[in-house]
Amino acid sequence: IFGKWHLGDDYPMRPMDQGFDESLVLKGGGIGSVPDLPNSYFDSRLYRDGKPVKGEGYCTEVFTDATIRFIESNRGRPFFAYLPFNAPHAPLVVDPKYSKPFSAMGLDENAAKLYGMVANLDENVGRLLKRLRELDLEQNTIVIFTVDNGAWSGVKRFNAGMAGWKGSVQDGGVRQSFFFRWPGKVQGGRKVDRIAAHIDMLPTLLEATGAKKPERVKFDGVSLMPLLRGQNVNWPERNLFVQFNRGLVP
């Protein structure tokens, strides 16, 4: 894991306690957010396998570099790399060369910075995909790109016309994109309209890789591989239950 964890900063909830062999993460929900003050998106204070280290450069690029190095080191065997970027996230900080084109379009300062962070993220995802291709891993590597929640209401930004924002259980708060890329096995350019969620990711990856389901583990989700392969399957209607709580009192 290289990036944001946000599931606990102390034993036994750290990534290194939860099964990750290698971790380079930030504390809390974002660099420069509580309890990570003071910190910066540039030369950030991070934690490698539980020990504090200093990143060199912009955080998105630091996490991408670490992921690429991990893939290079493990290219000869099956690997799992989790790259949860910190950006875009408040505080809105990015090299001005990424935000200036959006300012020139007439966007306000915060929106320009936020979209600049997205442009930088796009660039780094491109670097990662290019390296997979150079290492001759593209055809045999599943790449999933998804997002944790809807758009933050603190910045005027695109929300696809959906009701609600981050922090609500309406579509604008919880509905997000999910891109599944596997050039050697799954045809690209298709859109699947069946309802799905994060609970489906583990069953999907187990089926895709031929890995065994752990004994005594009950899944709430289902494998999406039949849909991703474009198979004509009888897919039952589903309901998803979404709950949101912020603070110490339920």
Side-chain angles (χ1 to χ4, degrees):
I1 176 175
F2 309 98
K4 177 176 175 175
W5 172 242
H6 207 193
L7 291 172
D9 297 328
D10 300 298
Y11 177 86
M13 299 305 296
R14 301 167 301 177
M16 57 191 289
D17 309 317
Q18 295 293 319
F20 285 92
D21 296 316
E22 185 175 332
S23 61
L24 178 67
V25 297
L26 55 111
K27 281 198 172 184
I31 291 174
S33 301
V34 177
D36 194 43
L37 292 169
N39 206 347
S40 168
Y41 278 49
F42 290 92
D43 302 335
S44 315
R45 181 181 63 255
L46 304 170
Y47 295 84
R48 184 183 298 280
D49 301 327
K51 297 178 181 178
V53 295
K54 188 174 184 178
E56 294 183 9
Y58 190 61
C59 60
T60 302
E61 294 157 6
V62 169
F63 295 139
T64 304
D65 287 342
T67 305
I68 289 174
R69 285 194 297 270
F70 172 81
I71 292 171
E72 290 171 341
S73 299
N74 292 278
R75 59 185 293 190
R77 60 177 180 170
F79 61 83
F80 172 79
Y82 179 37
L83 175 55
F85 290 110
N86 174 76
H89 195 281
L92 303 176
V93 179
V94 71
D95 189 313
K97 72 178 182 181
Y98 292 102
S99 57
K100 279 181 179 178
F102 298 100
S103 296
M105 295 178 188
L107 275 65
D108 64 45
E109 182 181 4
N110 282 338
K113 287 180 179 179
L114 187 142
Y115 284 117
M117 295 169 102
V118 173
N120 177 270
L121 185 148
D122 286 347
E123 185 178 282
N124 280 278
V125 171
R127 284 204 302 127
L128 180 63
L129 296 177
K130 179 183 178 185
R131 193 65 184 128
L132 284 174
R133 194 175 307 119
E134 292 169 346
L135 294 171
D136 199 26
L137 294 173
E138 183 178 47
Q139 298 295 310
N140 196 35
T141 302
I142 295 169
V143 176
I144 292 174
F145 183 94
T146 189
V147 188
D148 56 351
N149 47 246
W152 174 44
S153 62
V155 176
K156 294 177 182 177
R157 59 190 290 194
F158 177 72
N159 202 28
M162 294 186 289
W165 299 88
K166 174 182 177 179
S168 82
V169 295
Q170 293 176 294
D171 273 4
V174 300
R175 186 174 180 179
Q176 263 301 341
S177 51
F178 181 93
F179 294 93
F180 186 97
R181 185 179 188 271
W182 194 8
K185 299 288 185 180
V186 173
Q187 179 185 349
R190 292 189 305 107
K191 183 177 180 180
V192 178
D193 65 356
R194 300 291 83 193
I195 194 169
H198 61 292
I199 54 177
D200 301 322
M201 293 177 71
L202 178 55
T204 300
L205 290 173
L206 288 180
E207 180 177 345
T209 58
K212 283 178 130 186
K213 175 184 175 184
E215 293 183 18
R216 301 185 301 278
V217 175
K218 184 175 183 287
F219 289 151
D220 293 312
V222 295
S223 173
L224 304 174
M225 284 311 299
L227 298 178
L228 295 169
R229 290 190 177 114
Q231 297 172 357
N232 188 16
V233 291
N234 182 21
W235 198 261
E237 292 292 325
R238 304 171 70 189
N239 289 317
L240 295 177
F241 177 82
V242 180
Q243 180 264 353
F244 176 79
N245 176 61
R246 193 89 188 229
L248 300 177
V249 180

